[in-house]
Amino acid sequence: MDENAIGDIVVVGGGAAGWMAAAALARHLGKNRKIRVVESDEIGIVGVGEATVPHIRTFNAQVLGLDEADFVKATQGTFKLGIQFRDWARIGDTYYHGFGSVGQDLGPVPFHHYWLRARGAGRAQDYCHYGLQSEAAEQGRFMPPASDVPATSPLANIAYAYHFDAASYAKYLRGYAEKLGVVRHEGKIVQVSQRPDDGFIDAVVLESGERIAGDLFIDCSGFRGLLIEQTLKAGYEDWSHWLPCDRALAVPCATTEAPTPYTRCTARPAGWQWRIPLQHRVGNGYVYSSRFVSDDEAAAALLANLDGEALAEPRPLRFITGKRRKFWDKNVVAVGLASGFMEPLESTSIHLIQMSIVRLIDMFPDVGFDPGLVERYNRAVDFDYDRIRDFIVLHYKATERDDTPFWNHCRTMSVPDSLQENIDLFRRSGRFYRDGEEFFAMQSWVQVLLGQRIVPEVCHPIVDQMPEEEVFKFVEHVGKVISACAQAMPPHQAFIDRLCKAP
Ligand code: FAD
């Protein structure tokens, strides 16, 4: 091995981020390298990340090679086709952000322009009825993509993610990683040792006095950022002026209902409430701004809006939305909550963990810490964060609500220029253009823009010059195809039962 080579990797933290990192590194770069995970039972994990986006399937199946049924059983998982938003633009509104595509492409112009024209003439249903994921979600149906239908059928292209118990996922990945030789050290890190010449970290020291040395450290220590912030002082960009929620209360409740194949996000007077169905319980939480509601009022609002009996006391969590100024500094790469946090409105945290790990594997510093490589890594993660931030801020900004001081604040706050430009362009012309490789697809943006009542009065000139009956017939046809496809899918619960009972 080169003298600069990375032989010892130390992952600090054993939450979802730590075990996802350890598992993936062990599988892809574990040969001739020692990988250790340090975690403290006393400190524990956040463990409330329960809703995901479809890319988790790539991580589980392709990066780790996990068996889906085994994973779903181990984590009490359910399937997710999108998110239902209630009361966001106006009280009484409901819309879906379904995964995957909406409608059908007909030439170069996206489907929503046809929908806009038909809607303008009163000839269209709500936009969500033209996306199979949203339509099936509303009907409580689920199945993975079918292989026995034409490749162009919506049934062959179903996009889905999971809801799962995050603590069970961390445990499951721990078992996986340990089988690949990862060594776990339990104990609290009380000291971080740096090389005197360049400030690189050379070891962490546990309360017991044990010293764990390494060449590369993955900081998965959660909000505290033990290495990246407390030791290296990478800095933090605070986004609370755009994302004002700073606290959450999480509580599981019992349920007798079949799990919905979607996450529900309901706007509340000073934030919003999540509802995430697992096989054995429902996860709930109120994400709120402490400037606009007290903890007691938030707890009362949460407990008054559960489907069943609360199974624990509401668990408080505090956070500051934002990102680290550097995600990789010296020989430390921050992953998970240690790298930043945007609230869970679009279930992006676990996705950002996965993106960071896959990038790190791609940009692995096997021949030393090349500043050019580190700079490229930081730039790429920075871009991921900024574009996801804009998408989340959109949900708050694009509201008509003026019924509480919180919603008045959100409606009237200034937002990043990049977001304001996108909103203005869409409102004027129905056009939306994605920036480069940004995570959320145009179809995601359009569903949320329309769902939040930013509905352009015009459509693309290509659609505008078509005979109107042709446009109406096309939109009607797409609606019928989507409805028929949704009807062909089994109930979500029946699919889970079949999957989990299979040997
Ligand atoms: P943690 O779970 O906090 O783990 C930190 C680890 O570091 C622990 O093992 C701890 O013991 C260890 N540690 C810390 N300090 C020391 C020390 N001194 N010595 C030794 N060990 C130490 N994500 C989603 O994708 N979907 C969601 O729906 C979602 N919902 C969320 C809701 C809320 C309210 C919050 C706050 C987060 C949510 N997330 C969600 C984010 C998700 O919970 C996290 O991204 C995920 O759990 C990863 O956390 P982590 O591993 O980075 O940190």
Side-chain angles (χ1 to χ4, degrees), residues 13-17 40 43-46 48-49 51 187 189 220-221 224 337 344 349-350:
S40 157
I43 294 173
I45 66 170
V46 164
V48 286
I189 296 167
C220 300
S221 64
R224 66 194 72 215
L337 299 173
S349 290
I350 288 175

Side-chain angles (χ1 to χ4, degrees), residues 63-79:
V63 179
L64 299 183
L66 301 181
D67 173 73
E68 184 174 69
D70 196 42
F71 152 78
V72 168
K73 282 182 213 167
T75 61
Q76 296 283 345
T78 64
F79 294 87

Side-chain angles (χ1 to χ4, degrees), residues 12-20 37-53 80 164 166-167 185-191 205-206 219-226 230 247-250 263 272 274 276 285-287 315 317-319 335-353:
V12 170
W19 285 112
M20 284 171 78
V37 173
V38 186
E39 65 175 317
S40 157
D41 290 343
E42 186 192 322
I43 294 173
I45 66 170
V46 164
V48 286
E50 302 188 315
T52 55
V53 292
K80 172 178 173 185
F164 56 71
H185 295 256
E186 200 287 314
K188 197 162 156 189
I189 296 167
V190 289
Q191 196 194 327
V205 183
L206 304 189
D219 186 351
C220 300
S221 64
F223 289 127
R224 66 194 72 215
L226 190 65
Q230 290 186 11
R247 293 190 188 179
L249 287 163
T263 305
W272 61 277
W274 79 74
I276 299 177
Y286 186 2
V287 178
R315 180 173 162 217
L317 294 140
R318 292 183 176 198
F319 51 84
V335 176
L337 299 173
S339 69
F341 183 60
M342 282 176 280
E343 50 172 280
L345 187 56
E346 283 283 350
S347 318
T348 42
S349 290
I350 288 175
H351 173 70
L352 282 161
I353 294 173

